[in-house]
């Protein structure tokens, strides 16, 4: 790790007008080159290393987090300028409440200040049409900070070109638990009258119940008539404790799968079929519902774990990259190689898929001939 004096010297050189001009133009050139290839539409960052950066540079921990926010501003501009549509950052874990009260209060105060800065100098958000969304357990946030968050989300809600998801405070376990709880709540509510269609399993169960109910009625009639004593044992065996609701719709209507008239007050409530709960249903209840799938997840500081972040959103095509640099040091020069490698892998996978489809098509033609 370079010393503080070396870092200051390097910063002084980089901020000199000629060097700054050259770096700016080189930066624009590189971002323009990136845009010529595929760009991940959803990128997530675990912003790790602020405290270690502060400790190694002998500055306050809160100042390390402040420098981390400046790094985030640099990275966001690179992302949106290169064509990324959604950026998700892990700003504060629910587990971070276990840290010292001094640090937690400092993080909350800094979040309040930075939100105010974004609203007052939000040229970056306005330039790229970025809307801010805060994902997590809002009930854990202080009321005054929560008011600023709601104001920030409301002021940027009309921006529709890109999205900044700030996970604060957040864990994936909490998100998944909330999604399951909300799904159970939705499936515990009766269907509205106009939406009461019958699933295949419900139709089958209803038809069986009707058959058993009719058979039981015939048995009762024969028991009252002496001439029906010799009925078949097969019919007797069809009696069951299963009873059909007396207002069940006609059989031909059930078989058609169409909506039926259940406006009768005596009809039972119908509920969504639990068998229809799929990963897509749960995905619709996640905080990231409606957003592109996560394609690239980056964590700094050399730690190789996800720390309960975006576990549901990390799918088979999500690339996870662990970098050794600390988050305040992260900029275009660390980000560029990651994007270039991601583009190379994506093009390689697309080429392999084209070859596979070509081979399969050739095999089909050979079999047909």
């Amino acid at each position: 790790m370079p010393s503080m004096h070396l870092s200051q010297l390097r910063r002084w050189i980089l901020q000199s007008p000629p060097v700054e001009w050259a770096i700016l133009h080189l930066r624009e050139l590189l971002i323009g080159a990136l845009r010529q290839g595929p760009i991940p539409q959803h990128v997530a960052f675990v912003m790790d290393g602020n405290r270690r950066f502060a400790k190694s540079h002998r500055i306050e921990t809160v100042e390390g987090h402040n420098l981390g926010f400046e790094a985030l501003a640099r990275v966001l501009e690179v992302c949106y300028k290169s064509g990324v549509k959604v950026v998700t950052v892990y700003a504060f874990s629910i587990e971070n409440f276990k840290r010292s009260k001094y640090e937690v209060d400092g993080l909350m105060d800094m979040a309040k200040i930075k939100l105010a800065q974004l609203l007052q100098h939000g040229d970056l958000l306005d330039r790229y049409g970025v809307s801010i969304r805060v994902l997590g357990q809002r009930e854990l946030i202080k009321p005054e900070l929560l008011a600023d968050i709601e104001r920030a989300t409301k002021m940027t809600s009309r921006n529709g070109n890109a999205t900044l998801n700030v996970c604060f405070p957040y864990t994936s376990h909490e998100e998944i638990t909330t999604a399951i709880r909300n799904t159970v709540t939705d499936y515990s509510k009766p269907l509205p009258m106009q939406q009461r269609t019958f699933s295949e399993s419900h139709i089958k169960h209803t038809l069986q119940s009707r058959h058993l109910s009719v058979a039981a009625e015939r048995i009762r009639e024969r028991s009252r008539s002496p001439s029906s004593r010799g009925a078949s044992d097969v019919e007797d065996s069809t009696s069951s404790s299963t009873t059909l609701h007396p207002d069940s719709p006609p059989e031909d209507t059930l078989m058609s799968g169409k909506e039926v008239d259940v406006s009768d007050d005596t009809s039972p409530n119908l509920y969504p079929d639990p068998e229809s709960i799929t990963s897509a249903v749960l995905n619709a209840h996640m905080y990231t519902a409606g957003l592109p799938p996560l394609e690239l997840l980056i964590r700094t500081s050399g730690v190789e774990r996800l720390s309960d972040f975006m576990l549901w959103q990390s799918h088979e095509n999500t690339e996870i990259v662990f970098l050794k640099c600390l988050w305040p040091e992260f900029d275009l020069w660390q980000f560029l190689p990651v994007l270039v490698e991601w583009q190379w892998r994506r093009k390689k996978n697309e080429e392999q898929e084209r070859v596979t489809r070509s081979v399969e098509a050739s095999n089909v033609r050979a079999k047909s001939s």
Side-chain angles (χ1 to χ4, degrees):
M1 181 66 65
S3 66
M4 190 67 176
H5 296 293
L6 184 57
S7 298
Q8 291 176 348
L9 177 62
R10 184 176 62 181
R11 189 180 302 111
W12 179 82
I13 294 175
L14 293 177
Q15 290 178 352
S16 62
V19 176
E20 190 175 24
W21 180 87
I23 292 177
L24 179 62
H25 282 72
L26 177 60
R27 184 170 173 271
E28 296 297 324
L29 181 64
L30 292 174
I31 292 177
L34 282 175
R35 292 181 63 91
Q36 304 307 311
I39 294 294
Q41 295 301 289
H42 189 174
V43 180
F45 296 98
V46 180
M47 304 182 294
D48 192 19
N50 292 336
R51 291 195 298 173
R52 271 175 282 171
F53 182 88
K55 184 178 181 180
S56 63
H57 289 79
R58 299 180 181 179
I59 59 178
E60 290 288 337
T61 301
V62 174
E63 182 61 23
H65 290 298
N66 189 38
L67 294 175
F69 178 84
E70 295 179 3
L72 173 61
R74 296 193 301 266
V75 172
L76 287 179
E77 186 169 11
V78 173
C79 287
Y80 296 133
K81 186 173 289 187
S82 61
V84 177
K85 295 299 182 183
V86 180
V87 176
T88 302
V89 296
Y90 202 1
F92 193 86
S93 170
I94 295 176
E95 298 298 319
N96 287 347
F97 283 108
K98 298 178 180 179
R99 296 182 179 181
S100 67
K101 185 178 185 301
Y102 171 77
E103 185 176 354
V104 171
D105 290 343
L107 287 171
M108 294 295 175
D109 293 339
M110 186 185 66
K112 183 178 177 66
I113 294 172
K114 296 307 177 182
L115 274 176
Q117 290 178 353
L118 281 176
L119 295 177
Q120 294 174 2
H121 309 285
D123 55 334
L124 174 65
L125 303 179
D126 294 336
R127 189 186 318 141
Y128 299 105
V130 181
S131 62
I132 298 177
R133 298 176 58 190
V134 178
L135 315 181
Q137 287 188 295
R138 295 194 175 193
E139 60 271 17
L140 300 178
I141 304 176
K142 293 181 178 180
E144 57 272 16
L145 177 56
L146 183 59
D148 291 339
I149 289 174
E150 292 175 350
R151 186 160 59 95
T153 55
K154 184 177 180 180
M155 290 184 65
T156 61
S157 60
R158 296 184 178 180
N159 296 338
N161 295 335
T163 303
L164 171 60
N165 294 322
V166 182
C167 296
F168 181 95
Y170 169 94
T171 61
S172 275
H173 277 72
E174 181 274 328
E175 178 187 19
I176 296 172
T177 301
T178 300
I180 294 175
R181 185 187 302 116
N182 293 337
T183 302
V184 171
T185 299
D186 289 346
Y187 274 70
S188 300
K189 297 177 181 177
L191 289 170
M193 292 295 183
Q194 62 273 17
Q195 296 182 6
R196 293 189 176 184
T197 57
F198 289 94
S199 65
E200 181 179 352
S201 60
H202 183 80
I203 293 174
K204 182 178 179 181
H205 173 74
T206 303
L207 291 177
Q208 291 176 345
S209 299
R210 285 180 60 85
H211 175 71
L212 295 174
S213 179
V214 171
E217 181 63 27
R218 290 177 178 173
I219 292 174
R220 286 194 294 270
E221 291 178 356
R222 285 197 301 272
S223 65
R224 292 191 297 266
S225 174
S227 60
S228 59
R229 297 288 183 178
S232 170
D233 292 339
V234 176
E235 290 184 353
D236 291 344
S237 64
T238 61
S239 59
S240 170
S241 60
T242 304
T243 305
L244 177 68
H245 296 295
D247 56 350
S248 297
E251 183 172 334
D252 56 347
T253 305
L254 292 174
M255 292 302 294
S256 67
K258 297 180 180 179
E259 295 184 2
V260 296
D261 183 11
V262 289
S263 58
D264 189 357
D265 292 339
T266 62
S267 62
N269 288 330
L270 297 180
Y271 296 87
D273 188 356
E275 295 179 1
S276 65
I277 298 178
T278 62
S279 60
V281 174
L282 293 178
N283 192 59
H285 288 83
M286 296 292 166
Y287 294 146
T288 55
L291 298 178
L294 180 62
E295 296 182 276
L296 180 61
L297 191 154
I298 299 174
R299 177 169 186 158
T300 56
S301 81
V303 176
E304 298 185 359
R305 62 173 182 265
L306 295 182
S307 297
D308 209 357
F309 177 60
M310 305 295 280
L311 300 183
W312 176 270
Q313 292 80 3
S314 299
H315 53 88
E316 66 275 10
N317 294 322
T318 301
E319 290 199 18
I320 302 175
V321 180
F322 300 104
L323 301 177
K324 294 185 179 299
C325 68
L326 302 178
W327 178 253
E329 302 169 333
F330 188 71
D331 57 13
L332 173 65
W333 312 110
Q334 283 80 26
F335 193 21
L336 181 64
V338 175
L339 289 177
V340 171
E341 184 175 0
W342 183 89
Q343 289 182 335
W344 178 80
R345 290 181 183 274
R346 177 55 58 92
K347 291 180 179 179
K348 182 179 179 181
N349 292 337
E350 291 176 353
E351 182 64 27
Q352 290 177 346
E353 290 176 359
R354 282 196 294 267
V355 172
T356 301
R357 288 195 298 267
S358 177
V359 171
E360 291 176 352
S362 300
N363 292 337
V364 171
R365 289 194 297 266
K367 290 180 179 180
S368 61
S369 60

